[in-house]
C-alpha cells in the first residue's frame, strides 16, 4: 500500500481517477486542488475519509507542494488549466499552472525522490489532415497550436529534462479526448447534452468537420494506473481507443439518442486556430503494457454519459448558466 498525491483531483479526469483508486486499490489518496471554476466538490462526495483527504492548494505554491510531496510515494499530476477556448481568451493562468505548477512539482519530486506521473494531451502534436491515414505516435514532433496545448507541450518538455538531467523517476501519458461522468459543461459533449436537456439546440463550431479521437475516461485512467505500475521510467505513452469521430457525427448521435431529429443543431463561430483532426496510435501501450480499452462502442458510452447527466442535474446545474454566459460573449 502506498500514499498517492493526485493533483487536480477535483476536476473531471482526476476525480474519476480518485474514485477508481479507492475502488480498485488499497492506496491512501490525497488530492491537492486549487478548486478553480473547473473543480467540483460534489465529484468527490461520499468518499471513504479513512483513505482520502482533500487539500485546497495551488501546485504553484512551493512550500505547500514541498510539504505534501515529502509525505507521499507517488504524485500523479492532473492539475491544469484544460480548456482551449479559455486559453484563447485568457492565456496567463495556462502558463502559470501548466508550466510553473509542473516545475514546482518536478522540483519537489526531485528533492524527495518521489515517483511522478504527468498527465498530458495528444494536442502537443498539433493536428492531422482529414484525408490522411497518419496518426500520432510517441515519435511525432511536437507542434502545438493553442496557448493551452503549447503550455502542455512545455510541461512535457520540463518533465523530460528533469528525467534526463536529474534522474527523476517520471513517466508521461498523452491522451486523446475523454468523455464520461463529472466532465465540466464547458466541454463539447456535456455542453450539448445539457443544452438539449434545457431545450437549446447543440452548437457546432465552424463546419463541424473537425475530428476528435474519443476515449472513455475510465479507459484513460486504467492506462494511467498501468503506466504507474509497469511503465518504464523516462518513457512517454500515448493513450487512445481508436475513437475517431467528427464533431458533426457526435452531435447527430447525441440528438438521436436524446430523441431529437439528427439535424436539429446550429453552426456557430469557429474556434480561432481550430485543430482539424487528432488520432492516436496506442499500439505501444497495448503491446508493451497489455492495456486494452473496455469502452470500444462509442454509441453505448455516449448513451451512458447522457443518462449520467440526466440523473445528476444537481451536479451540473449550478455551473451551467455562467458557462453559457461566457460562450455568449464569443458568439458561440
Ligand atoms: P479539468 O479542467 O476538469 O480539471 C482540472 C483540475 O485542476 C481542476 O479541479 C482545477 O481546480 C485544478 N487546478 C487548476 N489549476 C490548479 C492549480 N494551479 N493548482 C492545483 N489545482 C489546479 O481538467 P481535465 O479535463 O480533468 O484534465 C485533467 C488533465 O488531463 C489535464 O492535465 C489535461 O491537460 C489532461 N487531458 C485532458 C483531456 C480531456 O479530454 N479532458 C485529454 C487528455 C489530457
Ligand atoms: O485532445 C485532448 C484534449 O481534448 C484535452 O487536452 C483538452 O483538455 C480537452 O478539453 C479536449 O480539447 P478539445 O478542444 O478537443 O475539446 P472541446 O471539448 O473543447 O472540443 C471538442 C471539439 O468540439 C473541438 O473540435 C471543438 C468542438 N466544439 C466544442 C464546443 C465546446 C464545438 O463544435 N462546439 C462546442 O460547443
Amino acid at each position: 500500500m502506498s500514499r498517492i498525491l493526485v493533483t487536480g483531483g477535483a476536476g473531471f479526469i482526476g476525480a474519476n481517477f480518485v474514485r477508481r483508486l479507492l475502488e480498485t486499490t488499497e492506496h491512501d489518496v490525497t488530492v491537492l486542488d486549487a478548486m478553480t471554476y473547473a473543480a467540483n466538490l460534489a465529484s468527490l462526495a461520499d468518499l471513504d475519509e479513512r483513505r482520502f483527504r482533500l487539500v485546497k492548494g495551488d501546485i504553484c505554491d512551493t512550500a505547500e507542494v514541498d510539504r505534501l510531496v515529502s509525505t507521499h510515494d507517488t504524485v500523479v499530476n492532473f492539475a491544469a488549466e484544460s480548456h482551449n477556448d479559455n486559453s484563447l481568451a485568457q492565456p496567463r493562468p495556462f502558463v502559470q499552472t501548466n508550466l510553473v505548477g509542473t516545475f514546482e512539482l518536478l522540483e519537489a519530486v526531485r528533492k524527495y525522490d518521489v515517483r511522478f506521473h504527468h498527465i498530458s494531451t495528444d494536442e502537443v502534436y498539433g493536428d492531422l489532415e482529414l484525408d490522411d491515414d497518419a496518426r500520432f505516435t510517441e515519435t511525432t514532433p511536437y507542434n502545438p497550436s493553442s496557448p493551452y496545448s503549447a503550455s502542455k507541450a512545455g510541461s512535457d518538455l520540463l518533465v523530460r529534462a528533469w528525467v534526463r538531467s536529474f534522474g527523476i523517476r517520471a513517466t508521461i501519458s498523452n491522451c486523446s479526448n475523454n468523455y464520461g461522468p463529472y466532465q465540466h459543461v464547458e466541454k463539447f459533449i456535456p455542453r450539448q447534452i445539457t443544452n438539449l436537456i434545457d431545450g437549446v439546440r447543440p452548437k457546432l463550431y465552424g463546419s463541424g468537420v473537425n475530428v476528435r479521437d474519443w476515449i472513455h475516461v475510465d479507459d484513460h485512467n486504467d492506462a494511467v494506473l498501468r503506466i504507474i505500475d509497469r511503465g518504464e521510467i523516462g518513457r512517454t505513452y500515448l493513450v487512445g481507443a481508436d475513437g475517431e469521430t467528427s464533431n458533426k457525427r457526435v452531435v447527430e448521435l447525441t440528438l438521436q439518442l436524446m430523441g431529437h431529429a439528427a439535424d436539429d443543431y446550429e453552426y456557430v463561430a469557429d474556434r480561432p486556430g481550430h485543430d482539424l483532426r487528432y488520432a492516436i496510435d496506442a499500439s505501444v501501450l497495448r503491446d508493451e503494457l497489455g492495456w486494452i480499452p473496455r469502452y470500444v462502442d462509442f454509441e453505448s458510452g455516449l448513451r451512458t454519459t447522457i443518462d449520467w447527466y440526466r440523473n445528476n442535474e444537481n451536479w451540473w446545474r449550478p455551473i451551467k448558466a455562467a458557462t453559457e454566459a461566457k460562450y455568449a460573449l464569443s458568439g458561440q
Side-chain angles (χ1 to χ4, degrees):
M1 188 174 76
S2 66
R3 296 156 301 171
I4 304 198
L5 179 63
V6 180
T7 67
F12 163 47
I13 308 175
N16 279 287
F17 183 71
V18 167
R19 290 183 166 278
R20 199 148 199 81
L21 271 181
L22 294 173
E23 275 162 24
T24 64
T25 75
E26 298 195 331
H27 303 308
D28 285 335
V29 181
T30 305
V31 164
L32 172 62
D33 198 297
M35 303 305 290
T36 70
Y37 81 96
N40 196 329
L41 253 189
S43 306
L44 298 172
D46 308 325
L47 297 182
D48 182 350
E49 286 178 8
R50 287 166 303 179
R51 289 178 53 210
F52 165 76
R53 74 184 167 126
L54 168 64
V55 177
K56 181 173 188 270
D58 194 322
I59 59 166
C60 302
D61 179 339
T62 315
E64 181 75 302
V65 165
D66 184 278
R67 185 180 71 80
L68 283 171
V69 169
S70 71
T71 52
H72 288 80
D73 308 298
T74 302
V75 176
V76 189
N77 180 30
F78 289 93
E81 286 292 337
S82 70
H83 194 37
N84 276 296
D85 292 327
N86 291 345
S87 82
L88 297 164
Q90 262 193 323
R92 186 175 297 275
F94 288 75
V95 172
Q96 182 66 14
T97 287
N98 300 357
L99 284 166
V100 178
T102 302
F103 162 76
E104 295 294 352
L105 292 168
L106 288 169
E107 282 294 80
V109 297
R110 168 158 87 109
K111 183 169 167 188
Y112 297 107
D113 186 25
V114 167
R115 172 81 168 87
F116 185 66
H117 181 71
H118 182 62
I119 305 293
S120 193
T121 169
D122 59 358
E123 295 194 14
V124 299
Y125 300 113
D127 61 354
L128 300 160
E129 296 299 327
L130 287 179
D131 52 357
D132 193 346
D133 289 336
R135 297 196 291 171
F136 300 135
T137 72
E138 282 77 1
T139 57
T140 304
Y142 275 34
N143 187 25
S145 314
S146 72
Y148 162 68
S149 48
S151 67
K152 292 297 291 186
S155 69
D156 292 6
L157 297 181
L158 289 175
V159 178
R160 290 183 185 194
W162 260 243
V163 169
R164 171 138 181 188
S165 300
F166 305 123
I168 67 161
R169 294 182 292 125
T171 40
I172 301 173
S173 52
N174 296 81
C175 188
S176 59
N177 285 63
N178 287 217
Y179 73 98
Y182 303 106
Q183 187 169 30
H184 196 285
V185 294
E186 70 188 354
K187 302 296 193 321
F188 182 47
I189 289 180
R191 184 181 186 207
Q192 314 314 331
I193 295 171
T194 52
N195 272 354
L196 281 167
I197 292 172
D198 280 350
V200 175
R201 297 166 87 197
K203 297 175 192 297
L204 269 175
Y205 291 0
S207 59
V209 296
N210 307 63
V211 169
R212 296 296 181 263
D213 191 353
W214 293 100
I215 180 172
H216 193 278
V217 64
D218 286 346
D219 281 333
H220 178 189
N221 282 331
D222 282 347
V224 172
L225 282 172
R226 204 164 272 255
I227 295 164
I228 292 168
D229 282 349
R230 300 184 215 167
E232 193 183 319
I233 297 302
R235 289 277 293 274
T236 286
Y237 294 90
L238 262 59
V239 187
D242 302 330
E244 280 188 71
T245 316
S246 74
N247 293 343
K248 193 159 173 275
R249 172 78 188 129
V250 172
V251 158
E252 287 170 350
L253 203 52
T254 308
L255 278 158
Q256 281 170 330
L257 291 172
M258 294 183 72
H260 296 263
D263 61 354
D264 196 9
Y265 55 81
E266 63 183 77
Y267 291 105
V268 294
D270 204 356
R271 173 184 285 172
H274 196 175
D275 278 341
L276 204 46
R277 170 176 162 252
Y278 305 140
I280 290 267
D281 176 351
S283 43
V284 169
L285 186 66
R286 288 175 184 261
D287 297 347
E288 291 187 22
L289 299 189
W291 172 81
I292 301 170
R294 289 175 298 144
Y295 294 84
V296 282
D297 178 353
F298 178 65
E299 181 171 333
S300 137
L302 184 59
R303 187 182 290 112
T304 312
T305 304
I306 290 168
D307 288 345
W308 190 87
Y309 282 91
R310 278 185 166 143
N311 295 331
N312 291 277
E313 187 164 340
N314 56 348
W315 182 89
W316 57 266
R317 177 59 67 197
I319 53 177
K320 179 66 178 167
T323 304
E324 287 306 316
K326 208 148 86 176
Y327 275 124
L329 293 175
S330 52
Q332 293 174 317

